[in-house]
Amino acid sequence: MNMYKVINTINLSEFSTKETVEKVEKKLKKLRKELSKLQDAMYAEGKYAVLICIQGMDTSGKDSLIREVFKDVNAQGIEVTSFKVPSELEKKHDYLWRHYIALPERGKIGIFNRTHYENVLVTRVHPEYIVEEKIPAATSVDVLDDAFFNHRMEEINNFEKHIADNGIIILKFFLNLSKEEQKNRLLRRLRLKEKNWKFSPGDLKERKLWDEYQFCYQELLNKTSKEHAPWFVIPADDKHTTRLKVAEIIVETLDTYNFKEPELPEKYKVEISNYKKQLESE
């Protein structure tokens, strides 16, 4: 797990984007069952929730990862939120508001598909989006300097510390895709008719800003990976291995919490044999 965890200052270009594992489907199947049991126990205990944050460049496999890793978890125990362009209502609140109200309740796993980090990522590459928020500190693009985004990252750190202190286990995954593999996946969307709907000309425009995005990712990984809310850089060129590695980290982390189902109150325990008799005699 630690080989993917951002602990010290990193250079993102030094991380591999591809890793392959043998018998990956068999291993993932086993982990899915373990994850399901962990969520059941966490729900019964009622102390903790889990927030899984997934970030990555377009085509990095976020949607399919969510589908394949969490498919065995009780549907009532999982909540997935995909954050798109803020609505008019959301723009009338601070930028963390829509993320705060989407947090999972105790006992559940919440997944943010794209996250609150879009506020120091897409908006840093496209600062004009922040001007549209009409906040006092953003009167023009010119004032949105490094200090502004560093301050936002500190606000995000405070937000995550607050929710961690209140029982939310936070795990953040950056799906580290190579530019070459993104090209292959975009071409696949164009070649396969059933995948055409996923393609947008905007994907090509954003692709031209690859280096800017990589810089912003490196900045946020270095400045917002904390022990209570760690980032993991996961190789994303092979989707099957990506899913396995994410599942391994989640299960390994949740195992350390030793979730315990509550015991039946003593007054009911002593009556168990009587309850059985009542039912058997019907």
Side-chain angles (χ1 to χ4, degrees):
M1 181 167 73
N2 280 342
M3 69 180 292
Y4 306 106
K5 189 175 181 179
V6 178
I7 300 173
N8 301 308
T9 302
I10 65 162
N11 185 331
L12 194 52
S13 65
E14 295 175 359
F15 278 72
S16 173
T17 61
K18 187 166 186 178
E19 185 177 341
T20 54
V21 177
E22 293 183 0
K23 299 180 180 179
V24 65
E25 290 299 332
K26 182 178 180 180
K27 293 175 181 177
L28 181 57
K29 185 177 181 180
K30 180 182 178 184
L31 286 167
R32 282 200 298 253
K33 291 180 179 178
E34 291 180 34
L35 180 57
S36 177
K37 291 178 181 177
L38 284 164
Q39 189 276 318
D40 284 343
M42 181 177 68
Y43 179 82
E45 185 181 66
K47 283 185 181 179
Y48 295 95
V50 177
L51 177 62
I52 307 295
C53 297
I54 303 175
Q55 284 285 161
M57 296 292 285
D58 290 334
T59 77
S60 59
K62 297 181 289 294
D63 294 344
S64 60
L65 182 147
I66 293 168
R67 181 184 68 240
E68 296 300 322
V69 170
F70 299 95
K71 68 196 305 181
D72 287 347
V73 176
N74 187 325
Q76 296 182 85
I78 195 161
E79 300 171 348
V80 181
T81 307
S82 297
F83 292 101
K84 308 294 185 184
V85 176
S87 67
E88 288 305 310
L89 173 62
E90 289 166 344
K91 287 180 181 179
K92 291 179 180 178
H93 293 270
D94 71 272
Y95 69 95
L96 286 173
W97 177 77
R98 65 176 182 159
H99 305 287
Y100 200 99
I101 62 175
L103 290 173
E105 62 189 71
R106 299 188 196 282
K108 292 190 176 184
I109 297 174
I111 303 171
F112 283 2
N113 182 359
R114 296 189 184 275
T115 71
H116 40 292
Y117 286 97
E118 295 289 293
N119 296 288
V120 291
L121 183 65
V122 174
T123 56
R124 195 169 187 180
V125 177
H126 298 284
E128 64 274 14
Y129 295 164
I130 292 185
V131 176
E132 294 175 5
E133 294 177 15
K134 298 180 181 179
I135 59 176
T139 53
S140 70
V141 170
D142 296 334
V143 302
L144 301 176
D145 55 9
D146 289 344
F148 175 89
F149 289 101
N150 288 337
H151 180 67
R152 272 207 166 183
M153 282 187 271
E154 193 55 40
E155 289 178 332
I156 289 173
N157 285 334
N158 293 336
F159 163 69
E160 291 179 345
K161 182 65 167 64
H162 171 67
I163 64 176
D165 287 345
N166 283 276
I168 294 184
I169 302 163
I170 307 168
L171 294 170
K172 303 179 295 194
F173 298 96
F174 169 56
L175 307 189
N176 190 24
L177 185 73
S178 69
K179 192 174 183 181
E180 182 63 24
E181 180 59 22
Q182 187 194 59
K183 173 184 174 181
N184 293 337
R185 293 181 186 181
L186 287 172
L187 283 170
R188 185 169 180 267
R189 288 181 178 182
L190 292 170
R191 288 170 180 156
L192 299 178
K193 188 175 180 179
E194 65 272 23
K195 299 290 183 181
N196 285 172
W197 67 273
K198 287 188 172 185
F199 180 79
S200 167
D203 296 338
L204 301 183
K205 292 180 180 179
E206 293 299 284
R207 180 173 164 78
K208 292 178 181 178
L209 301 170
W210 181 274
D211 291 341
E212 287 91 331
Y213 276 106
Q214 294 300 298
F215 168 80
C216 292
Y217 268 119
Q218 182 170 288
E219 283 272 289
L220 69 85
L221 290 168
N222 282 324
K223 293 179 179 178
T224 63
S225 188
K226 307 295 179 181
E227 193 55 39
H228 60 271
W231 274 107
F232 297 87
V233 179
I234 309 297
D237 283 3
D238 181 88
K239 287 186 177 183
H240 297 287
T241 301
T242 304
R243 298 163 189 163
L244 179 66
K245 293 302 174 185
V246 169
E248 284 177 342
I249 292 168
I250 296 172
V251 169
E252 184 177 335
T253 300
L254 297 189
D255 265 337
T256 66
Y257 283 82
N258 297 311
F259 303 125
K260 304 283 186 190
E261 295 92 344
E263 292 190 11
L264 199 64
E266 196 62 35
K267 62 181 180 180
Y268 296 142
K269 276 185 180 180
V270 297
E271 295 292 333
I272 284 180
S273 60
N274 289 331
Y275 298 146
K276 287 180 181 177
K277 288 177 182 178
Q278 288 180 44
L279 289 167
E280 291 168 352
S281 64
E282 287 182 358

